[in-house]
Amino acid sequence: DSGVTQTPKHLITATGQRVTLRCSPRSGDLSVYWYQQSLDQGLQFLIQYYNGEERAKGNILERFSAQQFPDLHSELNLSSLELGDSALYFCASSGRRQSSGNTIYFGEGSWLTVV
Amino acid sequence: DAKTTQPTSMDCAEGRAANLPCNHSTISGNEYVYWYRQIHSQGPQYIIHGLKNNETNEMASLIITEDRKSSTLILPHATLRDTAVYYCIVRVANYGGSQGNLIFGKGTKLSVKP
């Protein structure tokens, strides 16, 4: 158990809909990362937040957005869903205060199926 | 972040050591070498990381060449449960907070056979 919690574990929704994926980082971790893994793609970095602020952006579509709240949990919002958005979405966390060389730990992912 | 090169796939006999190589010839002085693995769509699992010294933990050993241009992950006694995709990643690590993210390549698919 990495200590990173993601909900829901599985989600099936229709094209055009909007969903929200939730992530609780490890206790004390300030950074949250979101990754997407579809069948024909590897793990793609989407976005990183650090202590509530966006820190880095990867291949995140404009239809997707994320935020990190004051309690450090994060949400990934996916809107106007398309069939190609079906994927595993991973959240990861790192970056405890007063620590160096911080390791990133991943949750077990949220399976999104768009039908 | 520097790029890495790994073999696409490797086989290993159960009980033998699995040696997974990684080339990172453009690594910078402030970049660590990290290894993760992913077992069949589970979340990537951290294995080990190092800067320039060899490292060992309960899961594996990491051997980094003196020029830091390549490294080898060693699983000393591979089991069937070690069958997974293994990722070698170089990453800038800053002290005290915000860290660089991980950029995954295609990794090495390790198959441990009975």
Side-chain angles (χ1 to χ4, degrees), chain A residues 31 33 35 37 43 45 48 50 55-56 88 90 94-95 99-108 111, chain B residues 32 34 36 38 41-44 46 49 87 91 93-105:
Chain A
S31 277
Y33 311 77
Y35 287 80
Q37 187 173 36
L43 280 151
F45 168 68
Q48 176 196 358
Y50 174 74
R55 187 54 61 103
L88 249 180
F90 289 108
S94 76
S99 184
S100 64
N102 280 283
T103 299
I104 296 177
Y105 292 93
F106 285 78
E108 287 306 308
W111 276 100
Chain B
Y32 285 73
Y34 278 77
Y36 283 77
Q38 187 176 26
S41 299
Q42 294 179 18
Y46 165 76
H49 75 281
Y87 298 97
R91 174 191 178 220
N94 301 315
Y95 287 86
S98 176
Q99 308 294 312
N101 63 75
L102 297 169
I103 304 299
F104 287 82

Side-chain angles (χ1 to χ4, degrees), chain A residues 68-99:
Chain A
Q68 186 179 26
F69 294 88
D71 67 353
L72 300 177
H73 91 272
S74 177
E75 293 181 354
L76 179 66
N77 301 297
L78 315 174
S79 61
S80 302
L81 285 167
E82 302 174 359
L83 295 178
D85 298 327
S86 296
L88 249 180
Y89 291 85
F90 289 108
C91 173
S93 75
S94 76
R96 293 179 175 175
R97 293 180 178 89
Q98 308 303 322
S99 184

Side-chain angles (χ1 to χ4, degrees), chain B residues 25-99:
Chain B
S25 58
T26 61
I27 192 170
S28 301
N30 63 344
E31 288 180 318
Y32 285 73
V33 179
Y34 278 77
W35 283 85
Y36 283 77
R37 72 181 182 184
Q38 187 176 26
I39 299 172
H40 188 57
S41 299
Q42 294 179 18
Q45 179 187 23
Y46 165 76
I47 301 173
I48 199 167
H49 75 281
L51 185 61
K52 49 186 170 184
N53 298 323
N54 298 337
E55 302 287 345
T56 296
N57 63 20
E58 65 279 3
M59 287 184 68
S61 294
L62 174 60
I63 308 298
I64 302 174
T65 57
E66 195 168 339
D67 63 6
R68 303 187 69 239
K69 294 187 177 184
S70 66
S71 60
T72 301
L73 178 74
I74 301 172
L75 307 178
H77 304 287
T79 71
L80 299 179
R81 287 179 295 180
D82 292 322
T83 292
V85 178
Y86 287 77
Y87 298 97
C88 169
I89 303 164
V90 293
R91 174 191 178 220
V92 174
N94 301 315
Y95 287 86
S98 176
Q99 308 294 312

Side-chain angles (χ1 to χ4, degrees), chain A residues 14-25:
Chain A
T15 54
Q17 295 297 305
R18 172 190 170 96
V19 298
T20 297
L21 308 180
R22 194 178 192 279
C23 172
S24 294

